[in-house]
Amino acid sequence: MKFKKSIFFSILLLIIIITFYSIPFLFVRFKKLDFAYTVLYSIAKKESYESNTQEEKVIKLYAYIQKHLKKPSKSTSNNIRILGESGKHLVSGQGYCDEQCNTFLSLLNTLNIKGRLIFLYGNDSISHHSVCEIMIDNHYCMFDPFYGITIRDNAGKLANVKVITANVNLIKQIPKNTGISKNEYLDLYTNKHAFKIAKYNQIIQLPTERRIHSFYTLWYSVFGESNRKRLFSYYYTINHVHFKEQQSVNKLFQ
């Protein structure tokens, strides 16, 4: 009797596991999976996997953006749209300051890390540069992926734009070879024209979207990268994704 119960529960457990594993594939089959969001979430989880703190997690994703998104060196016509607006610059590998910031914010949004895009004005009534502020331990911190600049206050804490503007001497610590001189960077943070918050990265999702994203989050935590690759391969097949587009997405995980 005990043996039969054991067999029954083993079979039941196997059915549950197979069903759980299969559900994202059904999302793909019935066109329910938000592929762009799924790609960004998978990148964010993979890149921040060994992070012990939220600051480490954000810094690793910041490094990822710096590695994969460069200042445009030439005019290119990129017709790949598989990742939509939120990930199209990752596919092309090129983006200006606001595009780098927006992609960074989109990555962080998949991990429910709050952030916002900031337009800097300083000495000019027209904004010439964008940075982003990320919420770390209930404190906004400035990240500038375009110039690769972060600034810490005298206590060693990552500073936000308001703190930097109030104490512009902090700018003296920025490293050389950033692509902008200290004086030019200082001009962006003067009080003559206040900085503006352009937008926040918290996107409103429909209940169905939230459920699908939450399920994939759980699924990925159980089955990981190797099975994520299988899921993506299935997505490519079902949606007849061109091989060039497949390569473009797969490169983002290298």
Side-chain angles (χ1 to χ4, degrees):
M1 189 66 178
K2 288 183 179 179
F3 179 73
K4 287 183 178 180
K5 284 185 177 179
S6 176
I7 293 294
F8 172 76
F9 283 115
S10 295
I11 293 174
L12 181 61
L13 179 60
L14 182 60
I15 291 172
I16 291 171
I17 291 173
I18 292 173
T19 302
F20 178 66
Y21 180 81
S22 302
I23 289 176
F25 292 87
L26 293 175
F27 289 156
V28 172
R29 180 69 180 83
F30 295 104
K31 314 292 185 182
K32 299 292 185 181
L33 189 74
D34 182 344
F35 190 64
Y37 184 97
T38 303
V39 170
L40 292 176
Y41 173 80
S42 302
I43 291 171
K45 288 298 290 186
K46 180 178 181 292
E47 292 298 317
S48 63
Y49 176 70
E50 296 182 346
S51 303
N52 296 316
T53 66
Q54 190 171 23
E55 182 174 317
E56 285 182 9
K57 189 178 295 185
V58 172
I59 288 174
K60 284 186 176 181
L61 293 180
Y62 175 60
Y64 177 87
I65 291 295
Q66 289 180 283
K67 176 183 176 182
H68 287 269
L69 256 180
K70 306 294 185 182
K71 177 183 176 181
S73 57
K74 58 182 179 179
S75 177
T76 59
S77 57
N78 178 26
N79 296 319
I80 297 176
R81 295 290 179 265
I82 190 169
L83 296 188
E85 287 298 314
S86 57
K88 68 180 183 180
H89 297 292
L90 277 180
V91 173
S92 69
Q94 299 187 78
Y96 290 102
C97 54
D98 55 333
E99 295 161 343
Q100 291 181 4
C101 286
N102 281 324
T103 307
F104 185 33
L105 290 169
S106 294
L107 272 179
L108 293 168
N109 179 56
T110 67
L111 300 182
N112 294 316
I113 296 175
K114 294 180 180 180
R116 56 195 187 186
L117 178 67
I118 305 290
F119 289 166
L120 298 177
Y121 291 83
N123 278 337
D124 201 330
S125 59
I126 299 172
S127 176
H128 292 283
H129 189 49
S130 302
V131 297
C132 44
E133 290 188 327
I134 311 303
M135 181 72 78
I136 300 174
D137 299 327
N138 297 315
H139 169 75
Y140 274 114
C141 308
M142 188 280 292
F143 288 84
D144 185 343
F146 189 79
Y147 290 119
I149 294 173
T150 56
I151 294 176
R152 294 184 182 271
D153 62 21
N154 295 327
K157 188 176 182 179
L158 285 167
N160 56 37
V161 174
K162 185 176 180 180
V163 168
I164 297 168
T165 302
N167 186 4
V168 290
N169 284 329
L170 294 172
I171 292 175
K172 293 179 180 179
Q173 67 178 268
I174 68 171
K176 296 179 180 179
N177 302 320
T178 59
I180 187 170
S181 70
K182 292 181 181 180
N183 286 336
E184 288 175 312
Y185 206 63
L186 180 66
D187 286 343
L188 298 170
Y189 288 89
T190 60
N191 281 313
K192 187 175 181 180
H193 297 281
F195 66 89
K196 292 181 181 179
I197 299 170
K199 72 171 190 179
Y200 290 83
N201 72 334
Q202 299 300 286
I203 300 170
I204 297 174
Q205 298 175 348
L206 297 172
T208 303
E209 291 176 323
R210 282 201 302 270
R211 285 193 291 270
I212 292 174
H213 294 158
S214 296
F215 188 92
Y216 180 76
T217 297
L218 179 59
W219 186 90
Y220 184 91
S221 68
V222 174
F223 295 109
E225 264 296 292
S226 59
N227 289 287
R228 189 274 307 163
K229 292 176 183 177
R230 293 190 181 96
L231 179 67
F232 281 23
S233 293
Y234 183 67
Y235 179 90
Y236 300 148
T237 301
I238 290 295
N239 291 278
H240 308 289
V241 177
H242 192 279
F243 182 67
K244 182 180 179 181
E245 293 183 319
Q246 295 181 34
Q247 287 183 309
S248 296
V249 175
N250 293 338
K251 278 182 181 180
L252 300 178
F253 291 88
Q254 296 173 359

